[in-house]
Amino acid sequence: MVALAATAPMASAAPGSVSPSAAEQKRNIDESLKVIISSNPGATRVDSNTVELANGVVVNMAFDEQKAAARKAGNTAKTLAGPGCSYGYLCIWDDPGYRLSFYYCGFVNIGSQYGWSDRLREIENNQTSGTWSYFYNWTGSAWSFVFSDKAYDYTGYISSGSSLSAARTTDAITVC
């Protein structure tokens, strides 16, 4: 089972772009939760920002203002980009500053279940020291290994020209 705290919008923006307004954030979160409910039979809405899946996974959504502000300013350093990832979690961000946070070990299809296909732009692996997570791309017929990440690690922003650019194709993660 995978416990998940998430921040996942339907739309995304390029680094340096204007952050979504509060109304847009609310709409993005609402639409994302509707997609998650419709693609996960048995999922129920707990409150305006939370969905509980049938297997016990909890998806909490919010917009990371500090991450978005740092990206807008062109600074993706961890110390300026926001509070980071809580100890024991694997966290990933997309371009505008939405986050998915995983706690329990397991395989998670972030593409079809959460609408995060090819949206990964930053990773903080703050799981127990030495814990590995594995990232995969869906090729259309099979899962293709992309890379692995050992805790503790922080990638910073993964640009299309970086050595980790393949990570931007991530569609699934094996946490732990």
Side-chain angles (χ1 to χ4, degrees):
M1 183 168 91
V2 177
L4 175 67
T7 54
M10 296 304 293
S12 68
S17 65
V18 177
S19 298
S21 68
E24 285 177 289
Q25 292 172 34
K26 186 174 178 356
R27 278 192 304 275
N28 285 342
I29 289 168
D30 188 58
E31 288 302 312
S32 294
L33 292 177
K34 287 177 183 176
V35 168
I36 290 169
I37 290 169
S38 69
S39 63
N40 291 277
T44 57
R45 189 120 183 207
V46 176
D47 60 34
S48 63
N49 289 21
T50 309
V51 167
E52 184 173 345
L53 306 181
N55 65 359
V57 172
V58 176
V59 181
N60 297 310
M61 296 190 173
F63 186 74
D64 190 336
E65 293 287 350
Q66 290 176 312
K67 181 72 71 180
R71 290 227 175 110
K72 184 177 177 186
N75 186 338
T76 57
K78 177 184 171 192
T79 56
L80 298 174
C85 186
S86 296
Y87 180 73
Y89 286 82
L90 171 71
C91 300
I92 62 174
W93 286 265
D94 68 356
D95 272 331
Y98 290 88
R99 178 179 67 201
L100 293 173
S101 302
F102 306 91
Y103 183 77
Y104 292 110
C105 299
F107 181 84
V108 181
N109 183 337
I110 63 170
S112 70
Q113 292 180 334
Y114 306 107
W116 271 58
S117 184
D118 301 340
R119 286 178 47 184
L120 185 140
R121 297 297 182 268
E122 196 167 342
I123 303 162
E124 185 172 359
N125 188 346
N126 200 11
Q127 299 175 92
T128 305
S129 182
T131 301
W132 287 88
S133 287
Y134 303 90
F135 298 75
Y136 303 91
N137 178 47
W138 178 250
T139 65
S141 59
W143 291 108
S144 173
F145 175 79
V146 176
F147 77 105
S148 55
D149 189 65
K150 183 179 177 183
Y152 175 84
D153 185 48
Y154 174 72
T155 65
Y157 183 78
I158 301 169
S159 67
S160 58
S162 80
S163 62
L164 286 176
S165 63
R168 294 168 61 106
T169 66
T170 296
D171 297 315
I173 303 170
T174 299
V175 181
C176 304

